[in-house]
């Protein structure tokens, strides 16, 4: 596929044709989307497929239950909830994505990052076949009625719903802020060794890839990401847990913290999509871009001084190197688990 074109031309689509989306076809696209996610540990996630009118009616009813069942729900015109219901009923297929529970916060974030990345990959591979999608997650949807409908278990994380269908017209593009405006570099003060120099990816090349990656979906176009490129040799050595096959540079990706917890979730998901875009572009260029979530992120003790604001959190650290190192990152299998309702 023309990767760059697909990433930059993909749009969120809200109006669909009545043409159905076959579950077998969606399963094949999900398999492809899951294969694009690379990790050294298996991801744990599942999804539910709603395509029959009966199933969509049931899903719509559960989604708006929090609105219609509340006291202030009486103040909302029925046409508003009616429009929400109509949107679901006029969407040929809906996929609900759930990240499974884990024993600790780090693994829970790994599972959530995996499902968000696979949701984004599905939008990319679907776009190539004329399928438009909208990643749908609204605060009113987080209610017991919906969670009961999708069988959300204790500890699981609702990632969102993809509205899916064929469409006639692509929405207009909305500009993205150049990555340079959210970029800091901790550069080396001395020349790198010959070995490190051979695997080093120049800042301008990383920025070029990031300027493609920023075409990730993000709610309200908040563009919540910030990048810190670490090429200082001593800093890199302290960031890397092992000197064996160590990458010559690191890309730290941080999220700006919103006061609203729901927006925090949306922004975390958006950055996972951006990282997935970057990894796809890096692989296309023959680089290694190994995604990690180091323990020190959760310990709140940075191994090196980083310009991280107290109102920011680190989402991931990417080990960046050239093709000579790409073979050391093994992809763990990701099992597609789709339940049709």
């Amino acid at each position: 596929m023309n990767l760059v074109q697909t990433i930059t031309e993909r749009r969120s689509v809200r109006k669909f044709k009545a043409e159905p989306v076959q579950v077998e076809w969606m399963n094949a696209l999900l398999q492809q989307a899951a294969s694009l996610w690379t990790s050294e540990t298996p991801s744990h996630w599942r999804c539910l497929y709603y395509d029959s009118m009966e199933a969509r009616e049931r899903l719509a009813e559960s989604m708006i239950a929090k609105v219609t069942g509340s006291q202030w729900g009486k103040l909302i015109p029925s046409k508003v909830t009616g429009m929400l219901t109509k949107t679901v009923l006029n969407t040929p297929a809906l996929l609900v994505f759930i990240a499974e529970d884990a024993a600790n916060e780090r693994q829970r974030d790994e599972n959530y990052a995996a499902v968000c990345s696979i949701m984004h990959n599905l939008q990319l591979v679907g776009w190539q076949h004329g399928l438009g999608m909208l990643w749908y997650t609204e605060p009113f949807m987080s209610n017991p009625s919906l969670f009961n409908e999708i069988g959300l278990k204790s500890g699981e994380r609702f990632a969102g719903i993809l509205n899916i269908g064929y469409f006639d017209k692509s929405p207009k593009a909305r500009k993205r802020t150049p990555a340079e405006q959210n970029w800091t570099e901790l550069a080396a003060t001395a020349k790198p060794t010959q070995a490190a120099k051979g695997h080093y990816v120049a800042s301008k090349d990383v920025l070029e890839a990031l300027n493609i990656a920023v075409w990730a979906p993000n709610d309200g176009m908040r563009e919540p990401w910030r990048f810190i490129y670490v090429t200082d040799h001593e800093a890199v050595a302290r960031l890397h847990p092992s000197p064996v096959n160590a990458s010559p540079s690191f890309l730290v990706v941080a999220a700006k913290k919103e006061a609203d917890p729901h927006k925090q979730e949306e922004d975390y998901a958006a950055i996972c999509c951006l990282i997935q875009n970057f990894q796809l572009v890096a692989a296309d260029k023959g680089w290694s871009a190994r995604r990690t979530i180091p323990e020190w992120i959760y310990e709140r003790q940075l191994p090196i001084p980083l310009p991280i604001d107290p109102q920011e959190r680190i989402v991931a650290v990417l080990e960046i190197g050239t093709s000579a190192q790409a073979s050391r990152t093994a992809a763990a299998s990701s099992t597609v688990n789709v339940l049709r309702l």
Side-chain angles (χ1 to χ4, degrees), residues 177-198:
T177 302
E180 289 85 347
Q181 294 187 26
N182 293 303
W183 168 273
T184 302
E185 183 172 358
L186 302 183
T189 55
K191 291 183 178 180
T193 63
Q194 194 60 36
K197 188 177 181 180

Side-chain angles (χ1 to χ4, degrees), residues 31 44 57 72 117 158 165-166 176 178 207 220 224 235 255 267 269 297 306:
Q31 293 282 355
H44 299 277
E57 286 176 346
W72 54 269
S117 301
F158 169 61
Y166 296 97
R176 297 312 199 258
L207 277 167
D267 289 350
I297 289 178
L306 289 171

Side-chain angles (χ1 to χ4, degrees), residues 123-144:
Q123 292 180 82
L124 295 178
V125 297
W127 187 263
Q128 295 178 302
H129 297 283
L131 278 174
M133 303 187 195
L134 173 68
W135 190 327
Y136 199 54
T137 170
E138 295 291 343
F140 69 81
M141 290 166 54
S142 296
N143 70 80

Side-chain angles (χ1 to χ4, degrees), residues 326-337:
S327 61
R328 71 182 176 87
T329 301
S333 60
S334 183
T335 303
V336 174
N337 183 6

Side-chain angles (χ1 to χ4, degrees), residues 82-134:
M83 285 176 60
L84 293 172
T85 301
K86 186 178 180 181
T87 296
V88 175
L89 299 184
N90 288 344
T91 300
L94 300 99
L95 265 175
V96 178
F97 285 82
I98 298 167
E100 295 183 1
D101 195 13
N104 54 64
E105 184 181 3
R106 181 184 182 188
Q107 187 57 53
R108 284 192 290 272
D109 282 345
E110 286 279 11
N111 290 347
Y112 187 62
V115 73
C116 290
S117 301
I118 292 167
M119 288 175 73
H120 180 54
N121 289 341
L122 182 61
Q123 292 180 82
L124 295 178
V125 297
W127 187 263
Q128 295 178 302
H129 297 283
L131 278 174
M133 303 187 195
L134 173 68

Side-chain angles (χ1 to χ4, degrees), residues 52 73 78 91 116 147-148 153 182 191 212 224 236 243 281 301 304 322:
S52 71
S78 59
T91 300
C116 290
F147 292 166
N148 182 64
K153 302 171 187 175
N182 293 303
K191 291 183 178 180
I212 298 169
V236 166
V281 174
Q301 294 180 348
I304 63 170
T322 55

Side-chain angles (χ1 to χ4, degrees), residues 31-92:
Q31 293 282 355
Q32 185 181 352
S35 71
L36 294 174
W37 162 255
T38 57
S39 174
E40 294 175 0
T41 58
S43 57
H44 299 277
W45 60 280
R46 60 189 178 90
C47 58
L48 311 173
Y49 191 66
Y50 290 80
D51 63 338
S52 71
M53 182 58 71
E54 179 184 356
R56 282 179 282 165
E57 286 176 346
R58 194 172 65 247
L59 181 63
E61 184 177 344
S62 70
M63 288 169 64
I64 65 173
K66 185 174 181 179
V67 177
T68 57
S70 64
Q71 290 184 350
W72 54 269
K74 298 176 182 179
L75 303 176
I76 299 176
S78 59
K79 67 178 182 180
V80 174
T81 54
M83 285 176 60
L84 293 172
T85 301
K86 186 178 180 181
T87 296
V88 175
L89 299 184
N90 288 344
T91 300

